[in-house]
Amino acid sequence: MSQREDFKRTIAFGDIALSYMKRNELPAIPRNYELWYTYAAGFNQALNHAVNSVLETRAEISNQDVGEIYDRYLSPNHLGDRIDKVGNNISEELDGIIHLVESGLVSTGDYGASLKAAQGALASATTPSQVKKLIRDLVAATSTTESANHKLDEQLKESRAHISALQERLESIRYESLTDELTTLANRRHFDQSIERSIEEAGANGESLSLLLSDIDHFKKFNDTFGHQTGDQVLRLVALAVKHNVKSEDLTCRYGGEEFAVILPRADAKKANEIAERIRHSVFSKELIKRSTGENLGRITISVGVANLRPDDTASDLIARADKALYAAKAAGRNTVCGESEPKTASTAA
């Protein structure tokens, strides 16, 4: 998408955000603007659902409602708080394990002392009754130690289970932080981290690397005509088409509002263009049906730009060329794939 188109799209979201704030007579503070901008852009499905739920029950949404929804779905501290909580729980479990191990060492030390004492007593035992008493004491000490060890084993198993569950929660939080909720593709943060790493790996191994940038054609007009819920359906449809036409090692991302990116390790220009064409055709081949009415809304098309890694490329270099190729695909009539070296010969066949 060109800088001009990106400007027009984001300004439109900003205008919608301001209109919601005016309609509900909400203070024009950054928190409120961020929430309504996110609502207008449709980035956060859970947030949109929460806002819609309030609006369905009453005509206006209060500043308190906005604050509660912001804290739940947008607060920068929200994810950090959850990570801190899990981290504290893991720390507590580890402290408990250390305490259990120390208790076990004390128990083992006591048993060792009992054995040493028994060894000395056995050397001086002269009667059967003394030997029997010694044996009884050893049996009792062994039984006590076995019981303590069994209890320690059970407690360690329980702690391991707790830590495993906490690790799963951390992984879930990590996945959530790197995943776009609406499309379930990787989010922009994940993309930014991965593109740098992919370029480094490709350079170190002397391998090819390609990047696809795609954009849904006329998405704003479609969104304005049929509403955000249908627009969300379109985004999910395109995301599914992208996901189903790449390999597991490829990274599919929601790059922006209606833009998608695919990082293709070990893919040269020819392979990358083939994949881009498969994705484009897959999207075009599906007719969109409005779920609420069964109305046929026609076909969705996307434009795709393809860029291939060059020696000494930075992430910005590669992204800029993919974006330029995407702009060329738009200029060529949309529903088109353009490689960076062939913007005027791109295919627009269905």
Side-chain angles (χ1 to χ4, degrees):
M1 177 178 290
S2 69
Q3 181 174 332
R4 176 65 179 170
E5 289 176 324
D6 193 43
F7 166 77
K8 291 166 64 178
R9 177 176 63 87
T10 54
I11 287 296
F13 289 150
D15 289 342
I16 294 171
L18 289 173
S19 71
Y20 279 123
M21 291 165 64
K22 291 176 181 178
R23 185 184 310 167
N24 293 279
E25 297 184 353
L26 296 167
I29 58 177
R31 181 201 67 184
N32 291 349
Y33 180 80
E34 181 184 356
L35 182 140
W36 288 111
Y37 184 96
T38 304
Y39 180 82
F43 292 144
N44 189 320
Q45 188 179 19
L47 179 143
N48 282 34
H49 179 74
V51 171
N52 291 337
S53 295
V54 174
L55 293 175
E56 286 171 3
T57 58
R58 52 184 185 270
E60 293 184 349
I61 186 168
S62 70
N63 197 46
Q64 181 179 345
D65 293 328
V66 170
E68 291 174 355
I69 294 172
Y70 181 90
D71 288 341
R72 184 173 181 184
Y73 297 104
L74 287 179
S75 173
N77 297 324
H78 182 60
L79 189 62
D81 289 344
R82 291 167 60 194
I83 293 173
D84 287 344
K85 184 176 180 180
V86 175
N88 288 336
N89 288 341
I90 290 177
S91 179
E92 289 171 3
E93 287 292 339
L94 291 176
D95 286 343
I97 288 174
I98 292 172
H99 177 71
L100 290 173
V101 171
E102 289 174 345
S103 298
L105 290 174
V106 170
S107 177
T108 301
D110 290 344
Y111 185 59
S114 297
L115 289 177
K116 187 174 183 179
Q119 183 181 15
L122 184 62
S124 60
T126 58
T127 65
S129 60
Q130 288 177 322
V131 173
K132 287 181 180 180
K133 181 180 182 304
L134 183 59
I135 292 173
R136 284 197 302 269
D137 291 343
L138 283 175
V139 169
T142 301
S143 177
T144 299
T145 302
E146 284 182 347
S147 177
N149 286 342
H150 178 73
K151 183 179 180 180
L152 174 63
D153 186 54
E154 292 299 315
Q155 290 174 322
L156 286 173
K157 285 180 181 178
E158 185 177 348
S159 291
R160 282 196 296 269
H162 288 167
I163 288 177
S164 178
L166 290 169
Q167 286 174 329
E168 289 179 5
R169 284 177 59 189
L170 272 179
E171 182 59 27
S172 175
I173 293 171
R174 177 183 175 278
Y175 175 81
E176 181 181 331
S177 73
L178 297 175
T179 303
D180 176 65
E181 183 179 18
L182 177 64
T183 63
T184 71
L185 300 182
N187 61 18
R188 179 61 180 269
R189 178 175 176 231
H190 196 174
F191 172 85
D192 290 339
Q193 293 175 355
S194 300
I195 190 67
E196 298 278 0
R197 184 170 60 252
S198 297
I199 289 174
E200 288 179 8
E201 291 176 355
N205 299 324
E207 296 173 335
S208 299
L209 176 73
S210 294
L211 173 66
L212 311 183
L213 283 184
S214 66
D215 183 83
I216 302 174
D217 298 327
H218 304 297
F219 182 74
K220 182 182 183 302
K221 180 180 178 182
F222 188 94
N223 222 19
D224 292 343
T225 302
F226 298 107
H228 286 293
Q229 287 188 334
T230 304
D232 288 349
Q233 186 181 345
V234 171
L235 291 168
R236 283 190 287 264
L237 181 150
V238 174
L240 198 62
V242 173
K243 191 183 299 185
H244 284 178
N245 284 282
V246 299
K247 297 180 293 185
S248 58
E249 66 177 11
D250 303 327
L251 183 68
T252 56
C253 311
R254 186 179 179 189
Y255 187 74
E258 66 269 21
E259 291 182 290
F260 297 86
V262 185
I263 301 173
L264 300 169
R266 291 178 289 282
D268 58 17
K270 180 181 178 182
K271 184 64 176 177
N273 276 273
E274 290 173 355
I275 294 171
E277 275 293 344
R278 285 206 308 267
I279 294 171
R280 184 197 65 79
H281 186 270
S282 177
V283 173
F284 183 79
S285 67
K286 295 177 175 60
E287 289 186 326
L288 186 68
I289 306 298
K290 191 172 183 179
R291 291 176 179 173
S292 58
T293 63
E295 178 186 1
N296 189 322
L297 304 181
R299 298 180 188 276
I300 301 300
T301 66
I302 62 171
S303 300
V304 188
V306 184
N308 316 109
L309 186 66
R310 298 175 183 175
D312 301 322
D313 258 352
T314 64
S316 296
D317 295 333
L318 185 61
I319 293 168
R321 292 203 309 278
D323 189 63
K324 185 177 180 181
L326 173 58
Y327 181 71
K330 293 284 189 181
R334 295 179 167 81
N335 189 25
T336 300
V337 172
C338 276
E340 55 181 310
S341 61
E342 49 173 1
K344 295 185 179 180
T345 60
S347 169
T348 58

